[in-house]
């Protein structure tokens, strides 16, 4: 979908901002925020990722290919197996992995692969094998964040600490970086790992 396109220079800034916000939320939430190694709730069920996330995942796979070719091969094996199992129902382009945008395809996506583990998840350890390069959705899952038009507060924390632990997301910076790429469309993690 994006060929040899590289990450925008400010992607590292976006990642740093989001990771710092998550660390701050973790300090404020203490034991109420249940995110930890082995907690895989956020790793089950497919979700859309933008082209910036896809590029970040591809960059991570290239880094891993140099430093740990065996792990890279295993991640790619899981991603290809996931695609082979899910491609028949995939609501989009089955070759490129680009999600469809028609009303019917968007509706089909709502019920698509909701019980499937992410291919980046190591089933033996519960660890994300591409953690350093994970999509923004993965980075913000768990702490309270504003969703949709900002009226709904999604979270994985106790209701007692939700407001005190709300995480601000730099949506504007991410949107600018996606726009900078000039690449439209969304995909899913499995396709980003191998295409």
């Amino acid at each position: 979908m994006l060929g040899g396109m590289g990450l925008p220079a400010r992607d590292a800034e976006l990642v740093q901002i989001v990771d710092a916000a998550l660390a701050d939320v973790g300090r404020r939430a203490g034991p109420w925020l249940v995110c930890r190694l082995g907690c895989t709730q956020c790793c089950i069920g497919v979700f859309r990722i933008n082209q910036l996330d896809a590029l970040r995942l591809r960059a991570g796979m290239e880094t891993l290919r140099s430093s740990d070719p065996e792990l890279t091969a295993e991640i790619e094996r899981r991603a290809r197996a996931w695609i082979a199992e899910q491609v028949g129902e995939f609501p989009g382009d089955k070759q490129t992995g680009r999600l469809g945008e028609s009303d019917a395809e968007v509706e089909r996506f709502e019920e698509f692969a909701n019980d499937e583990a992410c291919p980046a998840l190591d089933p033996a350890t519960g660890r994300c094998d591409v953690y350093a390069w994970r999509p923004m959705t993965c980075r913000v899952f768990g702490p309270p964040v504003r969703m949709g038009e900002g009226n709904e507060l999604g979270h994985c924390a106790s209701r007692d600490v939700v407001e005190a632990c709300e995480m601000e997301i730099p949506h504007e910076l991410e949107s600018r970086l996606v726009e900078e790429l000039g690449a439209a469309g969304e995909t899913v993690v499995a396709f980003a790992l191998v295409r």
Side-chain angles (χ1 to χ4, degrees):
M1 283 172 58
L2 294 172
M5 188 178 289
L7 282 167
R10 294 189 66 200
D11 182 64
E13 178 185 352
L14 174 65
V15 167
Q16 186 275 326
I17 290 168
V18 171
D19 288 353
L22 179 60
D24 178 57
V25 166
R27 282 188 294 279
R28 287 185 282 141
W32 297 106
L33 186 61
V34 298
C35 298
R36 67 193 175 293
L37 180 64
C39 176
T40 60
Q41 179 182 354
C42 60
C43 306
I44 307 300
V46 71
F47 54 91
R48 297 172 173 275
I49 63 170
N50 62 38
Q51 294 303 316
L52 182 61
D53 289 328
L55 275 174
R56 192 179 311 107
L57 284 169
R58 288 184 193 113
M61 291 297 285
E62 285 303 313
T63 299
L64 282 176
R65 192 168 278 105
S66 298
S67 65
D68 195 338
E70 287 181 25
L71 177 59
T72 305
E74 175 57 19
I75 296 166
E76 288 175 340
R77 183 200 64 75
R78 290 191 308 250
R80 285 190 177 91
W82 190 100
I83 291 168
E85 187 174 317
Q86 303 303 323
V87 75
E89 299 296 318
F90 186 73
D93 186 313
K94 293 166 176 43
Q95 295 298 321
T96 65
R98 183 171 174 170
L99 287 166
E101 297 175 9
S102 73
D103 290 345
E105 290 167 318
V106 169
E107 186 175 323
R108 281 183 32 226
F109 185 75
E110 292 304 314
E111 300 302 321
F112 175 69
N114 287 333
D115 297 323
E116 300 300 321
C118 177
L121 177 67
D122 182 327
T125 64
R127 183 189 75 203
C128 175
D129 285 335
V130 294
Y131 188 82
W133 306 281
R134 68 199 184 281
M136 285 297 140
T137 297
C138 303
R139 291 174 188 277
V140 302
F141 194 90
V145 295
R146 295 281 165 192
M147 299 169 37
E149 298 297 315
N151 299 324
E152 187 178 335
L153 195 60
H155 60 88
C156 192
S158 164
R159 288 247 181 238
D160 297 340
V161 295
V162 168
E163 287 187 17
C165 300
E166 184 176 344
M167 182 174 166
E168 296 293 323
I169 308 297
H171 293 292
E172 299 80 24
L173 175 57
E174 182 180 19
S175 294
R176 282 194 308 273
L177 293 174
V178 169
E179 188 175 308
E180 209 176 281
L181 289 175
E186 295 175 307
T187 188
V188 297
V189 171
F191 280 99
L193 292 171
V194 296
R195 297 281 197 278

